[in-house]
PDB file of all heavy atoms in Angstrom:
ATOM      1  N   ALA R 243     186.662  25.732 242.882  1.00 98.00           N
ATOM      2  CA  ALA R 243     187.871  25.215 243.561  1.00 98.00           C
ATOM      3  C   ALA R 243     187.502  24.221 244.592  1.00 98.00           C
ATOM      4  O   ALA R 243     188.056  23.139 244.795  1.00 98.00           O
ATOM      5  CB  ALA R 243     188.731  26.343 244.108  1.00 98.00           C
ATOM      6  N   GLN R 244     186.523  24.570 245.426  1.00 97.00           N
ATOM      7  CA  GLN R 244     186.081  23.748 246.562  1.00 97.00           C
ATOM      8  C   GLN R 244     185.372  22.498 246.019  1.00 97.00           C
ATOM      9  O   GLN R 244     185.469  21.394 246.570  1.00 97.00           O
ATOM     10  CB  GLN R 244     185.197  24.533 247.489  1.00 97.00           C
ATOM     11  CG  GLN R 244     185.951  25.636 248.237  1.00 97.00           C
ATOM     12  CD  GLN R 244     185.041  26.479 249.072  1.00 97.00           C
ATOM     13  OE1 GLN R 244     185.059  26.380 250.300  1.00 97.00           O
ATOM     14  NE2 GLN R 244     184.325  27.383 248.448  1.00 97.00           N
ATOM     15  N   ALA R 245     184.651  22.628 244.886  1.00 98.00           N
ATOM     16  CA  ALA R 245     183.954  21.497 244.262  1.00 98.00           C
ATOM     17  C   ALA R 245     184.959  20.519 243.807  1.00 98.00           C
ATOM     18  O   ALA R 245     184.803  19.271 243.907  1.00 98.00           O
ATOM     19  CB  ALA R 245     183.076  21.962 243.098  1.00 98.00           C
ATOM     20  N   MET R 246     186.061  20.955 243.196  1.00 98.00           N
ATOM     21  CA  MET R 246     187.119  20.064 242.693  1.00 98.00           C
ATOM     22  C   MET R 246     187.753  19.287 243.874  1.00 98.00           C
ATOM     23  O   MET R 246     187.971  18.065 243.828  1.00 98.00           O
ATOM     24  CB  MET R 246     188.244  20.852 241.957  1.00 98.00           C
ATOM     25  CG  MET R 246     187.752  21.376 240.648  1.00 98.00           C
ATOM     26  SD  MET R 246     187.682  20.111 239.346  1.00 98.00           S
ATOM     27  CE  MET R 246     189.446  19.925 238.912  1.00 98.00           C
ATOM     28  N   MET R 247     187.992  20.036 245.048  1.00 97.00           N
ATOM     29  CA  MET R 247     188.478  19.309 246.189  1.00 97.00           C
ATOM     30  C   MET R 247     187.529  18.321 246.727  1.00 97.00           C
ATOM     31  O   MET R 247     187.902  17.164 247.040  1.00 97.00           O
ATOM     32  CB  MET R 247     188.782  20.365 247.298  1.00 97.00           C
ATOM     33  CG  MET R 247     189.870  21.391 246.919  1.00 97.00           C
ATOM     34  SD  MET R 247     189.952  22.654 248.205  1.00 97.00           S
ATOM     35  CE  MET R 247     191.065  23.845 247.418  1.00 97.00           C
ATOM     36  N   ASP R 248     186.207  18.637 246.807  1.00 98.00           N
ATOM     37  CA  ASP R 248     185.244  17.687 247.293  1.00 98.00           C
ATOM     38  C   ASP R 248     185.129  16.494 246.370  1.00 98.00           C
ATOM     39  O   ASP R 248     184.963  15.374 246.828  1.00 98.00           O
ATOM     40  CB  ASP R 248     183.922  18.415 247.387  1.00 98.00           C
ATOM     41  CG  ASP R 248     183.762  19.291 248.684  1.00 98.00           C
ATOM     42  OD1 ASP R 248     184.802  19.470 249.300  1.00 98.00           O
ATOM     43  OD2 ASP R 248     182.626  19.664 248.975  1.00 98.00           O
ATOM     44  N   LEU R 249     185.195  16.716 245.074  1.00 98.00           N
ATOM     45  CA  LEU R 249     185.090  15.597 244.112  1.00 98.00           C
ATOM     46  C   LEU R 249     186.214  14.641 244.368  1.00 98.00           C
ATOM     47  O   LEU R 249     185.938  13.373 244.383  1.00 98.00           O
ATOM     48  CB  LEU R 249     185.078  16.132 242.685  1.00 98.00           C
ATOM     49  CG  LEU R 249     184.793  15.100 241.606  1.00 98.00           C
ATOM     50  CD1 LEU R 249     183.309  14.711 241.697  1.00 98.00           C
ATOM     51  CD2 LEU R 249     185.140  15.639 240.214  1.00 98.00           C
ATOM     52  N   GLY R 250     187.402  15.165 244.512  1.00 97.00           N
ATOM     53  CA  GLY R 250     188.554  14.241 244.758  1.00 97.00           C
ATOM     54  C   GLY R 250     188.508  13.548 246.089  1.00 97.00           C
ATOM     55  O   GLY R 250     188.966  12.429 246.218  1.00 97.00           O
ATOM     56  N   ALA R 251     187.910  14.224 247.090  1.00 96.00           N
ATOM     57  CA  ALA R 251     187.875  13.581 248.465  1.00 96.00           C
ATOM     58  C   ALA R 251     186.739  12.590 248.602  1.00 96.00           C
ATOM     59  O   ALA R 251     186.877  11.653 249.386  1.00 96.00           O
ATOM     60  CB  ALA R 251     187.653  14.724 249.517  1.00 96.00           C
ATOM     61  N   THR R 252     185.675  12.717 247.808  1.00 97.00           N
ATOM     62  CA  THR R 252     184.518  11.845 248.026  1.00 97.00           C
ATOM     63  C   THR R 252     184.114  10.904 246.861  1.00 97.00           C
ATOM     64  O   THR R 252     183.523   9.876 247.092  1.00 97.00           O
ATOM     65  CB  THR R 252     183.261  12.743 248.358  1.00 97.00           C
ATOM     66  OG1 THR R 252     182.939  13.572 247.186  1.00 97.00           O
ATOM     67  CG2 THR R 252     183.520  13.639 249.589  1.00 97.00           C
ATOM     68  N   ILE R 253     184.509  11.286 245.665  1.00 98.00           N
ATOM     69  CA  ILE R 253     184.141  10.546 244.450  1.00 98.00           C
ATOM     70  C   ILE R 253     185.372   9.982 243.711  1.00 98.00           C
ATOM     71  O   ILE R 253     185.535   8.813 243.510  1.00 98.00           O
ATOM     72  CB  ILE R 253     183.252  11.294 243.470  1.00 98.00           C
ATOM     73  CG1 ILE R 253     181.955  11.807 244.173  1.00 98.00           C
ATOM     74  CG2 ILE R 253     182.948  10.516 242.209  1.00 98.00           C
ATOM     75  CD1 ILE R 253     180.991  10.681 244.458  1.00 98.00           C
ATOM     76  N   CYS R 254     186.262  10.868 243.322  1.00 98.00           N
ATOM     77  CA  CYS R 254     187.419  10.568 242.551  1.00 98.00           C
ATOM     78  C   CYS R 254     188.569  10.215 243.478  1.00 98.00           C
ATOM     79  O   CYS R 254     189.600  10.835 243.449  1.00 98.00           O
ATOM     80  CB  CYS R 254     187.792  11.723 241.649  1.00 98.00           C
ATOM     81  SG  CYS R 254     188.953  11.217 240.322  1.00 98.00           S
ATOM     82  N   THR R 255     188.363   9.194 244.327  1.00 97.00           N
ATOM     83  CA  THR R 255     189.257   8.870 245.399  1.00 97.00           C
ATOM     84  C   THR R 255     190.536   8.055 244.800  1.00 97.00           C
ATOM     85  O   THR R 255     190.462   7.525 243.707  1.00 97.00           O
ATOM     86  CB  THR R 255     188.552   8.007 246.435  1.00 97.00           C
ATOM     87  OG1 THR R 255     187.893   6.942 245.754  1.00 97.00           O
ATOM     88  CG2 THR R 255     187.557   8.860 247.202  1.00 97.00           C
ATOM     89  N   PRO R 256     191.583   8.009 245.613  1.00 96.00           N
ATOM     90  CA  PRO R 256     192.732   7.255 245.056  1.00 96.00           C
ATOM     91  C   PRO R 256     192.478   5.840 244.740  1.00 96.00           C
ATOM     92  O   PRO R 256     192.983   5.339 243.716  1.00 96.00           O
ATOM     93  CB  PRO R 256     193.701   7.382 246.233  1.00 96.00           C
ATOM     94  CG  PRO R 256     193.346   8.594 247.001  1.00 96.00           C
ATOM     95  CD  PRO R 256     191.810   8.644 246.916  1.00 96.00           C
ATOM     96  N   ARG R 257     191.678   5.127 245.561  1.00 95.00           N
ATOM     97  CA  ARG R 257     191.355   3.777 245.293  1.00 95.00           C
ATOM     98  C   ARG R 257     189.875   3.632 245.072  1.00 95.00           C
ATOM     99  O   ARG R 257     189.097   4.261 245.744  1.00 95.00           O
ATOM    100  CB  ARG R 257     191.782   2.856 246.494  1.00 95.00           C
ATOM    101  CG  ARG R 257     193.190   2.887 246.809  1.00 95.00           C
ATOM    102  CD  ARG R 257     194.072   2.126 245.724  1.00 95.00           C
ATOM    103  NE  ARG R 257     195.450   2.209 246.041  1.00 95.00           N
ATOM    104  CZ  ARG R 257     196.290   3.082 245.464  1.00 95.00           C
ATOM    105  NH1 ARG R 257     195.802   3.964 244.552  1.00 95.00           N
ATOM    106  NH2 ARG R 257     197.563   3.101 245.749  1.00 95.00           N
ATOM    107  N   ARG R 258     189.482   2.791 244.119  1.00 95.00           N
ATOM    108  CA  ARG R 258     188.091   2.494 243.758  1.00 95.00           C
ATOM    109  C   ARG R 258     187.212   3.752 243.673  1.00 95.00           C
ATOM    110  O   ARG R 258     186.231   3.928 244.337  1.00 95.00           O
ATOM    111  CB  ARG R 258     187.514   1.621 244.884  1.00 95.00           C
ATOM    112  CG  ARG R 258     188.370   0.374 245.139  1.00 95.00           C
ATOM    113  CD  ARG R 258     187.879  -0.479 246.262  1.00 95.00           C
ATOM    114  NE  ARG R 258     186.926  -1.456 245.828  1.00 95.00           N
ATOM    115  CZ  ARG R 258     186.384  -2.426 246.581  1.00 95.00           C
ATOM    116  NH1 ARG R 258     186.678  -2.432 247.914  1.00 95.00           N
ATOM    117  NH2 ARG R 258     185.533  -3.328 246.079  1.00 95.00           N
ATOM    118  N   PRO R 259     187.583   4.623 242.702  1.00 97.00           N
ATOM    119  CA  PRO R 259     186.746   5.862 242.493  1.00 97.00           C
ATOM    120  C   PRO R 259     185.325   5.460 242.079  1.00 97.00           C
ATOM    121  O   PRO R 259     185.122   4.485 241.329  1.00 97.00           O
ATOM    122  CB  PRO R 259     187.474   6.546 241.382  1.00 97.00           C
ATOM    123  CG  PRO R 259     188.299   5.505 240.685  1.00 97.00           C
ATOM    124  CD  PRO R 259     188.705   4.526 241.779  1.00 97.00           C
ATOM    125  N   ASN R 260     184.367   6.224 242.507  1.00 97.00           N
ATOM    126  CA  ASN R 260     182.968   5.937 242.226  1.00 97.00           C
ATOM    127  C   ASN R 260     182.584   6.681 240.948  1.00 97.00           C
ATOM    128  O   ASN R 260     181.815   7.657 240.991  1.00 97.00           O
ATOM    129  CB  ASN R 260     182.071   6.334 243.402  1.00 97.00           C
ATOM    130  CG  ASN R 260     180.740   5.764 243.314  1.00 97.00           C
ATOM    131  OD1 ASN R 260     180.275   5.288 242.275  1.00 97.00           O
ATOM    132  ND2 ASN R 260     179.973   5.754 244.391  1.00 97.00           N
ATOM    133  N   CYS R 261     183.079   6.173 239.840  1.00 97.00           N
ATOM    134  CA  CYS R 261     182.877   6.876 238.565  1.00 97.00           C
ATOM    135  C   CYS R 261     181.369   6.966 238.175  1.00 97.00           C
ATOM    136  O   CYS R 261     180.991   7.891 237.406  1.00 97.00           O
ATOM    137  CB  CYS R 261     183.658   6.156 237.427  1.00 97.00           C
ATOM    138  SG  CYS R 261     185.447   6.156 237.758  1.00 97.00           S
ATOM    139  N   MET R 262     180.570   6.004 238.574  1.00 96.00           N
ATOM    140  CA  MET R 262     179.121   6.024 238.199  1.00 96.00           C
ATOM    141  C   MET R 262     178.408   7.263 238.742  1.00 96.00           C
ATOM    142  O   MET R 262     177.500   7.735 238.110  1.00 96.00           O
ATOM    143  CB  MET R 262     178.463   4.765 238.703  1.00 96.00           C
ATOM    144  CG  MET R 262     178.916   3.493 238.078  1.00 96.00           C
ATOM    145  SD  MET R 262     178.358   3.409 236.349  1.00 96.00           S
ATOM    146  CE  MET R 262     176.608   3.287 236.529  1.00 96.00           C
ATOM    147  N   LEU R 263     178.910   7.810 239.886  1.00 97.00           N
ATOM    148  CA  LEU R 263     178.261   8.961 240.468  1.00 97.00           C
ATOM    149  C   LEU R 263     179.015  10.260 240.145  1.00 97.00           C
ATOM    150  O   LEU R 263     178.570  11.346 240.599  1.00 97.00           O
ATOM    151  CB  LEU R 263     178.215   8.819 242.016  1.00 97.00           C
ATOM    152  CG  LEU R 263     177.378   7.618 242.545  1.00 97.00           C
ATOM    153  CD1 LEU R 263     177.400   7.630 244.060  1.00 97.00           C
ATOM    154  CD2 LEU R 263     175.967   7.726 242.018  1.00 97.00           C
ATOM    155  N   CYS R 264     180.028  10.193 239.339  1.00 98.00           N
ATOM    156  CA  CYS R 264     180.831  11.412 239.076  1.00 98.00           C
ATOM    157  C   CYS R 264     180.180  12.285 238.111  1.00 98.00           C
ATOM    158  O   CYS R 264     179.776  11.833 236.976  1.00 98.00           O
ATOM    159  CB  CYS R 264     182.200  11.008 238.570  1.00 98.00           C
ATOM    160  SG  CYS R 264     183.272  12.436 238.146  1.00 98.00           S
ATOM    161  N   PRO R 265     180.019  13.621 238.405  1.00 97.00           N
ATOM    162  CA  PRO R 265     179.371  14.467 237.377  1.00 97.00           C
ATOM    163  C   PRO R 265     180.170  14.719 236.139  1.00 97.00           C
ATOM    164  O   PRO R 265     179.651  15.302 235.185  1.00 97.00           O
ATOM    165  CB  PRO R 265     179.178  15.783 238.217  1.00 97.00           C
ATOM    166  CG  PRO R 265     180.273  15.720 239.228  1.00 97.00           C
ATOM    167  CD  PRO R 265     180.424  14.306 239.648  1.00 97.00           C
ATOM    168  N   LEU R 266     181.444  14.304 236.146  1.00 97.00           N
ATOM    169  CA  LEU R 266     182.328  14.552 235.000  1.00 97.00           C
ATOM    170  C   LEU R 266     182.609  13.276 234.297  1.00 97.00           C
ATOM    171  O   LEU R 266     183.479  13.279 233.348  1.00 97.00           O
ATOM    172  CB  LEU R 266     183.614  15.177 235.496  1.00 97.00           C
ATOM    173  CG  LEU R 266     183.498  16.423 236.340  1.00 97.00           C
ATOM    174  CD1 LEU R 266     184.936  16.970 236.628  1.00 97.00           C
ATOM    175  CD2 LEU R 266     182.668  17.515 235.636  1.00 97.00           C
ATOM    176  N   ASN R 267     181.854  12.197 234.549  1.00 96.00           N
ATOM    177  CA  ASN R 267     182.228  10.918 233.869  1.00 96.00           C
ATOM    178  C   ASN R 267     182.076  10.934 232.341  1.00 96.00           C
ATOM    179  O   ASN R 267     182.788  10.209 231.623  1.00 96.00           O
ATOM    180  CB  ASN R 267     181.418   9.771 234.496  1.00 96.00           C
ATOM    181  CG  ASN R 267     179.918   9.933 234.436  1.00 96.00           C
ATOM    182  OD1 ASN R 267     179.403  10.733 233.663  1.00 96.00           O
ATOM    183  ND2 ASN R 267     179.199   9.200 235.287  1.00 96.00           N
ATOM    184  N   GLY R 268     181.167  11.822 231.813  1.00 93.00           N
ATOM    185  CA  GLY R 268     181.037  11.910 230.393  1.00 93.00           C
ATOM    186  C   GLY R 268     182.206  12.609 229.720  1.00 93.00           C
ATOM    187  O   GLY R 268     182.375  12.468 228.473  1.00 93.00           O
ATOM    188  N   SER R 269     183.075  13.319 230.432  1.00 93.00           N
ATOM    189  CA  SER R 269     184.202  14.030 229.931  1.00 93.00           C
ATOM    190  C   SER R 269     185.498  13.443 230.261  1.00 93.00           C
ATOM    191  O   SER R 269     186.579  13.946 229.866  1.00 93.00           O
ATOM    192  CB  SER R 269     184.147  15.504 230.356  1.00 93.00           C
ATOM    193  OG  SER R 269     182.901  16.151 230.001  1.00 93.00           O
ATOM    194  N   CYS R 270     185.486  12.322 231.070  1.00 95.00           N
ATOM    195  CA  CYS R 270     186.751  11.830 231.664  1.00 95.00           C
ATOM    196  C   CYS R 270     187.459  10.904 230.689  1.00 95.00           C
ATOM    197  O   CYS R 270     186.980   9.759 230.441  1.00 95.00           O
ATOM    198  CB  CYS R 270     186.422  11.147 232.994  1.00 95.00           C
ATOM    199  SG  CYS R 270     187.907  10.538 233.799  1.00 95.00           S
ATOM    200  N   LEU R 271     188.627  11.325 230.246  1.00 95.00           N
ATOM    201  CA  LEU R 271     189.412  10.464 229.347  1.00 95.00           C
ATOM    202  C   LEU R 271     189.957   9.234 230.052  1.00 95.00           C
ATOM    203  O   LEU R 271     190.138   8.158 229.466  1.00 95.00           O
ATOM    204  CB  LEU R 271     190.528  11.288 228.683  1.00 95.00           C
ATOM    205  CG  LEU R 271     190.100  12.385 227.770  1.00 95.00           C
ATOM    206  CD1 LEU R 271     191.336  13.128 227.176  1.00 95.00           C
ATOM    207  CD2 LEU R 271     189.219  11.858 226.634  1.00 95.00           C
ATOM    208  N   GLY R 272     190.314   9.385 231.320  1.00 95.00           N
ATOM    209  CA  GLY R 272     190.791   8.280 232.069  1.00 95.00           C
ATOM    210  C   GLY R 272     189.769   7.146 232.162  1.00 95.00           C
ATOM    211  O   GLY R 272     190.080   6.001 232.071  1.00 95.00           O
ATOM    212  N   LEU R 273     188.554   7.522 232.417  1.00 96.00           N
ATOM    213  CA  LEU R 273     187.412   6.556 232.472  1.00 96.00           C
ATOM    214  C   LEU R 273     187.279   5.955 231.064  1.00 96.00           C
ATOM    215  O   LEU R 273     187.064   4.742 230.937  1.00 96.00           O
ATOM    216  CB  LEU R 273     186.187   7.203 232.919  1.00 96.00           C
ATOM    217  CG  LEU R 273     184.922   6.310 232.983  1.00 96.00           C
ATOM    218  CD1 LEU R 273     185.129   5.121 233.940  1.00 96.00           C
ATOM    219  CD2 LEU R 273     183.671   7.133 233.436  1.00 96.00           C
ATOM    220  N   ALA R 274     187.309   6.754 230.034  1.00 95.00           N
ATOM    221  CA  ALA R 274     187.090   6.246 228.677  1.00 95.00           C
ATOM    222  C   ALA R 274     188.163   5.236 228.300  1.00 95.00           C
ATOM    223  O   ALA R 274     187.917   4.305 227.542  1.00 95.00           O
ATOM    224  CB  ALA R 274     187.146   7.422 227.663  1.00 95.00           C
ATOM    225  N   GLN R 275     189.378   5.386 228.915  1.00 94.00           N
ATOM    226  CA  GLN R 275     190.463   4.474 228.590  1.00 94.00           C
ATOM    227  C   GLN R 275     190.353   3.181 229.419  1.00 94.00           C
ATOM    228  O   GLN R 275     191.077   2.280 229.192  1.00 94.00           O
ATOM    229  CB  GLN R 275     191.804   5.164 228.844  1.00 94.00           C
ATOM    230  CG  GLN R 275     192.101   6.271 227.815  1.00 94.00           C
ATOM    231  CD  GLN R 275     193.454   6.898 228.079  1.00 94.00           C
ATOM    232  OE1 GLN R 275     194.201   6.528 228.973  1.00 94.00           O
ATOM    233  NE2 GLN R 275     193.796   7.850 227.202  1.00 94.00           N
ATOM    234  N   GLY R 276     189.478   3.149 230.381  1.00 91.00           N
ATOM    235  CA  GLY R 276     189.165   1.901 231.080  1.00 91.00           C
ATOM    236  C   GLY R 276     189.598   1.745 232.478  1.00 91.00           C
ATOM    237  O   GLY R 276     189.014   0.966 233.210  1.00 91.00           O
ATOM    238  N   ASP R 277     190.589   2.420 232.985  1.00 92.00           N
ATOM    239  CA  ASP R 277     191.027   2.266 234.349  1.00 92.00           C
ATOM    240  C   ASP R 277     191.566   3.562 234.951  1.00 92.00           C
ATOM    241  O   ASP R 277     192.817   3.728 235.069  1.00 92.00           O
ATOM    242  CB  ASP R 277     192.057   1.137 234.487  1.00 92.00           C
ATOM    243  CG  ASP R 277     192.200   0.589 235.848  1.00 92.00           C
ATOM    244  OD1 ASP R 277     191.652   1.245 236.824  1.00 92.00           O
ATOM    245  OD2 ASP R 277     192.933  -0.355 236.087  1.00 92.00           O
ATOM    246  N   PRO R 278     190.677   4.465 235.356  1.00 95.00           N
ATOM    247  CA  PRO R 278     191.146   5.676 235.919  1.00 95.00           C
ATOM    248  C   PRO R 278     191.965   5.590 237.185  1.00 95.00           C
ATOM    249  O   PRO R 278     192.731   6.473 237.531  1.00 95.00           O
ATOM    250  CB  PRO R 278     189.857   6.546 236.197  1.00 95.00           C
ATOM    251  CG  PRO R 278     188.809   5.449 236.269  1.00 95.00           C
ATOM    252  CD  PRO R 278     189.237   4.351 235.329  1.00 95.00           C
ATOM    253  N   GLU R 279     191.860   4.445 237.895  1.00 95.00           N
ATOM    254  CA  GLU R 279     192.558   4.279 239.169  1.00 95.00           C
ATOM    255  C   GLU R 279     194.091   4.247 238.918  1.00 95.00           C
ATOM    256  O   GLU R 279     194.868   4.474 239.850  1.00 95.00           O
ATOM    257  CB  GLU R 279     192.137   2.971 239.841  1.00 95.00           C
ATOM    258  CG  GLU R 279     192.679   2.794 241.272  1.00 95.00           C
ATOM    259  CD  GLU R 279     192.056   1.667 241.960  1.00 95.00           C
ATOM    260  OE1 GLU R 279     190.886   1.313 241.750  1.00 95.00           O
ATOM    261  OE2 GLU R 279     192.794   0.994 242.730  1.00 95.00           O
ATOM    262  N   LEU R 280     194.500   3.981 237.747  1.00 95.00           N
ATOM    263  CA  LEU R 280     195.950   3.969 237.385  1.00 95.00           C
ATOM    264  C   LEU R 280     196.497   5.395 237.370  1.00 95.00           C
ATOM    265  O   LEU R 280     197.782   5.497 237.268  1.00 95.00           O
ATOM    266  CB  LEU R 280     196.193   3.284 236.041  1.00 95.00           C
ATOM    267  CG  LEU R 280     195.743   1.776 235.960  1.00 95.00           C
ATOM    268  CD1 LEU R 280     195.975   1.254 234.593  1.00 95.00           C
ATOM    269  CD2 LEU R 280     196.550   0.930 237.053  1.00 95.00           C
ATOM    270  N   LEU R 281     195.693   6.395 237.335  1.00 96.00           N
ATOM    271  CA  LEU R 281     196.169   7.752 237.267  1.00 96.00           C
ATOM    272  C   LEU R 281     195.857   8.464 238.579  1.00 96.00           C
ATOM    273  O   LEU R 281     194.831   8.140 239.273  1.00 96.00           O
ATOM    274  CB  LEU R 281     195.423   8.494 236.110  1.00 96.00           C
ATOM    275  CG  LEU R 281     195.655   7.854 234.719  1.00 96.00           C
ATOM    276  CD1 LEU R 281     194.706   8.463 233.715  1.00 96.00           C
ATOM    277  CD2 LEU R 281     197.106   8.118 234.320  1.00 96.00           C
ATOM    278  N   PRO R 282     196.647   9.447 238.943  1.00 96.00           N
ATOM    279  CA  PRO R 282     197.957   9.917 238.313  1.00 96.00           C
ATOM    280  C   PRO R 282     199.084   8.849 238.506  1.00 96.00           C
ATOM    281  O   PRO R 282     199.144   8.190 239.513  1.00 96.00           O
ATOM    282  CB  PRO R 282     198.197  11.228 238.937  1.00 96.00           C
ATOM    283  CG  PRO R 282     197.636  11.098 240.296  1.00 96.00           C
ATOM    284  CD  PRO R 282     196.421  10.243 240.176  1.00 96.00           C
TER     285      PRO R 282
END
């Protein structure tokens, strides 16, 4: 739970998420679709 919070606060940020450093980038459908910043 705390890891999810930290990921959102430091990597998967509302603007300009740092997808290159995200440990979940291989599973992220938003990234696969091309522009995760449009979500949510």
Side-chain angles (χ1 to χ4, degrees):
Q244 293 174 103
M246 290 285 280
M247 296 172 188
D248 281 12
L249 188 71
T252 64
I253 300 291
C254 195
T255 49
R257 300 286 177 265
R258 308 175 91 177
N260 197 341
C261 299
M262 292 292 291
L263 297 182
C264 180
L266 306 183
N267 56 21
S269 302
C270 182
L271 295 180
L273 178 60
Q275 291 181 1
D277 197 350
E279 189 173 324
L280 296 177
L281 299 168

